[in-house]
Amino acid sequence: MEDSKDDIYSENLINIFDSIKKQTKKCYTINTMKNLFPVLVWLPKYNVKLLLPDFVAGLTVGLTAIPQAIAYATVAGLLPQYGLYSAFMGCFIYIIFGTCKDITVGPTAITALMVQAHVTGSPDYAVLCCFLSGCIILCLGLLNLGVLVRFISIPVTTGFTMAAAITIASGQINNLFGIRSTSNQFVASWCNFFTHLREIRMNDALLGVITLIILLMMRKVKDLKCSRYKMFTKYISLSRNALAVLAGILLCYLLSNGDWLPFRVSGEINPGLPPFKWPPFSTTINGTTVPFKMMVSNLGASLISIPLISILESVAIAKAFSKGKLVNATQEMIALGMSNILGGFVSSMPITGSFTRTAINNSSGVKTPLGGAVTGALVLMALAFLTNTFYYIPKATLAAIIIGAMIFMVEYDRIAEIWKSKKIDFFPFMVTVVVCLFWSLEYGIVGGILANVTFILYKSAKPIIIISKEEINYIKIGIVDVMETLCYSSAEYLKSQIMQFIATQTEGNEIKLIILKIQDNTSIDSSVALNILSLEQDLSMLKCRLVCWNWNVCAAGVIYRLHSKGNQLLKYGKSYTKLIDDLKLSSSIIPFDTEEFKLEEI
């Protein structure tokens, strides 16, 4: 008997393992692997003809990525190498997991600014933020929760982008004129600037302003109508940041005299490849060890806002450059999550898709994601061989590059469209801008979302209800058209509107029937159903009958399931005349039997 039980147990165990084995095989099919690793799709089809355009595009993007990486590390309050580590890791990891050939992942101005508030004590906060953001983004991607970014409306994202651009540009105004500053925030930066005007360094100011003007002019070089030199002017325009950095380095080196430098410079950069090590789960500040739990607590809301903004930026860029192709948002989130997770092992700051570098990649004619490998290799070469040269990069030059980029980061056309289309949408836009500028970027997004939610709740609490009065066969009826969705917040409003309509009727003009109509695709919840049943009782006391006319199955089902007598409210037909005849209202009103229809039974 015991042997028989053991055999049954063994057989069941074998069946369980067979089932697990089958499910595992399904998970590791070729199609599944290709979906998870898109590189397996395009790499086997790669040919030599694609190599040259990918190399040119990668080289062009690299010449922009290096100065931007150094500049955005400055914005984040980090040493320049952290930006270069981020650019290197983003380029290589996205090749494996990414689906859009144009996207270039790396440090961006917005993520740099958002992390800046947390790295004052130690750069380890930026690296840990990168790792944890990657974990959160990856989990959201695997759970298909990218839909969360849909709750951030276009006015909010436009306001956030504008506020971030203004804040970043304001944070560099001191560096542009050679003034020392300890803050990159909007108000603090301008206060420091106007209270330290006497500390303006003429050399830095001249270099910064002239560089900014030249950069703005070079941006328009590609639009010159000279067909013979069109390709030359195009790449000159695309490489303007790299050329500005090279000019600044050369000028600073030539004018230096021993230890004296004519400009404030970025400082030393650690040479060599980024160290591969575990993300910092603890740090030391002023001799005091800060444990992981305290670090997470200090990072606070940024662990939610940075992943959401990173997803929003990356997916939006992928859609913008997809050229009609369907964007796999889940895979883009997985690629972004893996880039940040592995970035945490090489001292990277949080990274996401860069619109500027992606646009350059696209305009340079990139054919496959392999162009990112060229960009990453160029960043590695810069880390290995050019770190001593980067020491001479003037801060005024980097400030000019950042300010020049921020001027065009503001979506001026979109702001005008929001104002023209619906002025009420300008309110969440302004809330976002004001809170971002005078408080913080994280709370600015929250403020904009709350402003939008307030409008939605107000609208749902007061849907459009049109009540008209008709007379059919000498019977006065009220027709209630509900033009929007009914939910719990509008339940009392519907009832009060109908009762107010009844109360306005004079003696001899009493309404004998209320016909309640809703949209064909509208459903209701239990709160609305309960209020409708309560409304029926109140109307019956006034010798007025309520009918729910031609309701769809979903809405009618809620009434019916709530009370077995609820089907008495539901009527269907093509004309009001036939309804009145069926209800026998021609001579007198016959309300529901209130003894049969008590809400107390529900």
Side-chain angles (χ1 to χ4, degrees):
M1 189 71 177
E2 290 180 1
D3 291 340
S4 177
K5 288 182 179 179
D6 290 340
D7 291 340
I8 294 171
Y9 176 77
S10 299
E11 186 178 348
N12 289 336
L13 196 61
I14 291 171
N15 290 335
I16 291 171
F17 278 115
D18 286 340
S19 177
I20 294 172
K21 188 176 180 180
K22 289 178 182 178
Q23 294 297 324
T24 305
K25 284 184 178 180
K26 288 181 181 179
C27 291
Y28 288 97
T29 60
I30 294 176
N31 288 334
T32 304
M33 294 300 289
K34 285 183 177 180
N35 288 333
L36 187 59
F37 300 98
V39 66
L40 299 176
V41 177
W42 60 264
L43 190 58
K45 302 176 184 177
Y46 200 85
N47 59 67
V48 181
K49 293 180 180 179
L50 304 175
L51 188 59
L52 181 60
D54 281 347
F55 179 81
V56 173
L59 185 64
T60 308
V61 174
L63 292 174
T64 302
I66 292 172
Q68 280 196 344
I70 295 171
Y72 295 150
T74 304
V75 171
L78 298 169
L79 295 174
Q81 60 259 29
Y82 286 92
L84 294 171
Y85 295 162
S86 306
F88 148 74
M89 182 53 70
C91 290
F92 280 111
I93 301 302
Y94 188 81
I95 294 172
I96 301 172
F97 295 97
T99 61
C100 181
K101 65 180 178 63
D102 301 294
I103 283 190
T104 302
V105 173
T108 64
I110 292 178
T111 54
L113 180 62
M114 294 180 75
V115 81
Q116 185 267 339
H118 305 287
V119 301
T120 305
S122 170
D124 289 341
Y125 277 103
V127 181
L128 181 63
C129 184
C130 176
F131 176 77
L132 295 180
S133 295
C135 294
I136 294 170
I137 294 170
L138 181 63
C139 290
L140 292 176
L142 294 174
L143 296 173
N144 289 320
L145 292 178
V147 68
L148 292 174
V149 299
R150 296 182 186 176
F151 290 95
I152 307 176
S153 67
I154 289 178
V156 173
T157 55
T158 304
F160 173 80
T161 304
M162 177 179 173
I166 293 173
T167 303
I168 294 167
S170 299
Q172 296 303 311
I173 197 69
N174 291 283
N175 286 330
L176 190 71
F177 290 91
I179 301 173
R180 296 185 181 276
S181 177
T182 57
S183 175
N184 283 328
Q185 297 305 311
F186 174 68
V187 177
S189 295
W190 285 106
C191 287
N192 185 80
F193 176 74
F194 285 113
T195 54
H196 294 79
L197 290 175
R198 294 183 179 179
E199 297 177 14
I200 290 178
R201 293 166 56 102
M202 191 56 63
N203 289 350
D204 292 88
L206 286 173
L207 177 66
V209 173
I210 292 172
T211 302
L212 179 57
I213 293 171
I214 292 174
L215 284 172
L216 296 178
M217 292 173 63
M218 289 179 69
R219 187 183 181 91
K220 296 296 181 181
V221 167
K222 65 180 185 297
D223 300 327
L224 295 177
K225 295 180 180 179
C226 48
S227 56
R228 182 180 297 181
Y229 304 105
K230 188 174 182 180
M231 189 62 65
F232 175 75
T233 55
K234 173 186 174 181
Y235 285 107
I236 284 291
S237 178
L238 293 176
S239 306
R240 60 186 178 275
N241 290 338
L243 294 175
V245 168
L246 290 175
I249 291 173
L250 186 61
L251 196 61
C252 183
Y253 179 77
L254 293 176
L255 295 178
S256 61
N257 185 9
D259 294 334
W260 180 84
L261 295 173
F263 314 108
R264 293 180 63 230
V265 295
S266 301
E268 294 184 1
I269 300 177
N270 293 337
L273 300 178
F276 192 85
K277 57 183 180 180
W278 283 97
F281 296 114
S282 64
T283 188
T284 303
I285 301 176
N286 297 327
T288 304
T289 301
V290 182
F292 174 73
K293 187 176 180 181
M294 183 63 70
M295 291 181 73
V296 172
S297 177
N298 291 337
L299 288 171
S302 63
L303 290 178
I304 301 298
S305 58
I306 290 178
L308 286 179
I309 292 301
S310 298
I311 294 170
L312 184 65
E313 277 193 272
S314 196
V315 173
I317 292 169
K319 288 181 179 179
F321 289 90
S322 62
K323 295 182 179 179
K325 295 180 181 179
L326 187 63
V327 174
N328 188 342
T330 297
Q331 185 59 35
E332 284 299 311
M333 291 168 65
I334 291 172
L336 188 60
M338 291 302 299
S339 298
N340 278 278
I341 289 173
L342 295 176
F345 288 86
V346 293
S347 301
S348 168
M349 56 190 280
I351 54 179
T352 185
S354 165
F355 191 89
T356 303
R357 296 192 293 276
T358 301
I360 292 174
N361 206 19
N362 177 265
S363 62
S364 299
V366 71
K367 299 299 181 183
T368 70
L370 196 65
V374 180
T375 302
L378 195 62
V379 174
L380 278 180
M381 290 175 63
L383 278 167
F385 305 111
L386 298 177
T387 50
N388 291 332
T389 305
F390 290 155
Y391 173 83
Y392 292 97
I393 299 178
K395 287 191 174 183
T397 299
L398 293 178
I401 291 172
I402 295 170
I403 293 172
M406 294 307 103
I407 290 173
F408 296 96
M409 190 173 163
V410 179
E411 300 173 283
Y412 303 100
D413 294 339
R414 184 61 56 82
I415 296 171
E417 288 170 359
I418 294 171
W419 177 257
K420 289 178 182 178
S421 60
K422 196 171 184 181
K423 291 180 174 56
I424 194 68
D425 286 339
F426 214 71
F427 179 72
F429 166 79
M430 287 306 301
V431 168
T432 306
V433 171
V434 171
V435 177
C436 283
L437 289 179
F438 296 99
W439 194 354
S440 72
L441 293 178
E442 293 90 344
Y443 292 113
I445 298 172
V446 173
I449 293 173
L450 289 178
N452 266 338
V453 169
T454 302
F455 288 152
I456 295 171
L457 291 177
Y458 180 81
K459 190 175 182 181
S460 68
K462 288 190 174 183
I464 297 174
I465 298 174
I466 300 174
I467 304 178
S468 57
K469 183 178 179 181
E470 290 189 21
E471 185 173 334
I472 300 175
N473 294 341
Y474 304 104
I475 301 296
K476 294 178 176 60
I477 64 174
I479 302 173
V480 181
D481 282 297
V482 181
M483 309 305 293
E484 297 176 328
T485 301
L486 290 172
C487 60
Y488 68 93
S489 59
S490 57
E492 287 289 343
Y493 179 72
L494 172 66
K495 180 179 177 181
S496 66
Q497 289 295 100
I498 295 175
M499 293 304 296
Q500 285 178 21
F501 172 75
I502 296 294
T504 58
Q505 305 306 309
T506 59
E507 188 175 349
N509 292 312
E510 293 89 350
I511 299 295
K512 300 299 182 182
L513 174 66
I514 291 292
I515 298 176
L516 182 58
K517 298 163 61 179
I518 62 174
Q519 293 179 347
D520 292 339
N521 61 346
T522 299
S523 184
I524 61 173
D525 56 29
S526 58
S527 298
V528 175
L530 282 167
N531 273 273
I532 288 174
L533 296 178
S534 173
L535 173 64
E536 191 283 325
Q537 287 190 336
D538 293 343
L539 291 175
S540 65
M541 296 181 65
L542 299 173
K543 297 184 179 180
C544 178
R545 189 161 183 176
L546 175 66
V547 167
C548 299
W549 177 253
N550 289 344
W551 278 24
N552 62 61
V553 176
C554 294
V558 179
I559 294 284
Y560 182 78
R561 289 191 297 271
L562 195 60
H563 198 289
S564 59
K565 304 293 182 180
N567 61 343
Q568 298 177 32
L569 291 173
L570 306 168
K571 300 296 178 182
Y572 297 86
K574 294 183 179 180
S575 68
Y576 298 145
T577 303
K578 190 175 185 307
L579 173 65
I580 291 172
D581 291 339
D582 292 343
L583 293 175
K584 300 178 182 179
L585 292 175
S586 298
S587 57
S588 62
I589 190 75
I590 304 176
F592 288 133
D593 186 350
T594 54
E595 292 299 322
E596 286 186 356
F597 204 81
K598 290 182 179 178
L599 287 176
E600 285 79 0
E601 297 176 11
I602 301 175

